[in-house]
Amino acid sequence: MRTAARRARSTWKPYAVGAAVAAALVATTACEGDSDEGGPVPPSASASQSQRQATPPAPDDDASEAPSDGDDAVGTDLCTMKDLTFTASKYGERGEPARHIMVVATNESDRECEIQNAPEIMLGDAQGPAPVMEGTEADEPFTLAPGEKAYAGVLATGGNRDTYEVTFMTLTLGSPGGEAEAEEPVELEMPTEGSFQADDGQRVTGWQPTEGLAMRPVTQS
């Protein structure tokens, strides 16, 4: 009787161990299945994902090379002889000699342009352009819209010097700042019938945006 009981217990013990091993295998398979189906992620995989999320994106080369606001700015071109027409008229009382002359440049183009410095004006057979009166040039170039005018004054005689007769006069814009070759001069219509007198004291003012600014230095000389 005791022998039969011992045999029964010996038979149950291996069976119980086998059942426990089977249960452990089922649990392991279930855990692996959870991981594959979006279940709990092993700690190592979760850490790797956090590191990927924390890594900042690489800079966009195109964005880093985007132009600044000032890169697209376009300046206004200088006026050329083709943009402008010129006139010359005597400035002063009727019947007086043509000692003071006003030169007007009008922008006849369909675009804005800048004018600067002083015109190069030759009075007849002078050896060179009339010198520019000191302090009469505008500090900065100024813009002429289509139809707008710029003014310059000419002092034909400085007084107490030998004079000569002027029967023609020419004008060019010169080469401001040496940026380009000087353009060909144009001949201005004479401000008086026939001729007028000039001497070595002749002077010209810089271009100005108003008649008064251009002619005041001339009439006060």
Side-chain angles (χ1 to χ4, degrees):
M1 192 67 184
R2 291 179 181 175
T3 301
R6 283 199 299 269
R7 286 178 181 173
R9 284 197 296 269
S10 298
T11 302
W12 175 84
K13 188 173 182 179
Y15 174 81
V17 171
V21 171
L25 289 174
V26 171
T28 301
T29 303
C31 290
E32 291 176 354
D34 289 343
S35 175
D36 292 340
E37 297 298 327
V41 180
S44 59
S46 178
S48 299
Q49 184 177 8
S50 299
Q51 290 174 356
R52 288 196 299 270
Q53 293 175 350
T55 303
D60 188 347
D61 291 339
D62 293 338
S64 63
E65 296 178 359
S68 62
D69 293 340
D71 290 343
D72 293 333
V74 178
T76 303
D77 293 333
L78 291 176
C79 298
T80 68
M81 299 289 285
K82 293 180 180 179
D83 297 321
L84 308 173
T85 58
F86 305 96
T87 60
S89 59
K90 189 184 78 169
Y91 198 83
E93 296 294 333
R94 182 174 298 179
E96 292 183 353
R99 184 168 180 253
H100 306 137
I101 299 167
M102 182 173 69
V103 175
V104 180
T106 304
N107 183 2
E108 298 289 358
S109 72
D110 58 359
R111 67 183 184 97
E112 291 185 341
C113 63
E114 287 188 341
I115 194 164
Q116 64 179 359
N117 298 343
E120 291 187 0
I121 294 179
M122 291 273 291
L123 298 181
D125 293 323
Q127 294 181 353
V132 179
M133 296 182 72
E134 186 176 353
T136 63
E137 294 181 84
D139 294 334
E140 298 288 341
F142 57 93
T143 300
L144 295 181
E148 289 188 335
K149 303 177 185 297
Y151 303 83
V154 178
L155 177 66
T157 59
N160 300 323
R161 291 184 174 93
D162 294 337
T163 61
Y164 65 97
E165 188 174 13
V166 176
T167 58
F168 68 95
M169 52 191 298
T170 61
L171 177 150
T172 184
L173 295 175
S175 179
E179 297 168 2
E181 293 184 4
E183 298 178 83
E184 290 296 320
V186 295
E187 187 167 333
L188 296 176
E189 186 175 345
M190 289 289 287
T192 61
E193 293 182 6
S195 62
F196 62 91
Q197 298 295 307
D199 64 21
D200 291 339
Q202 61 189 256
R203 295 288 186 272
V204 63
T205 71
W207 291 115
Q208 295 291 344
T210 67
E211 175 183 325
L213 290 174
M215 298 308 299
R216 190 174 298 116
V218 169
T219 56
Q220 292 177 353
S221 297

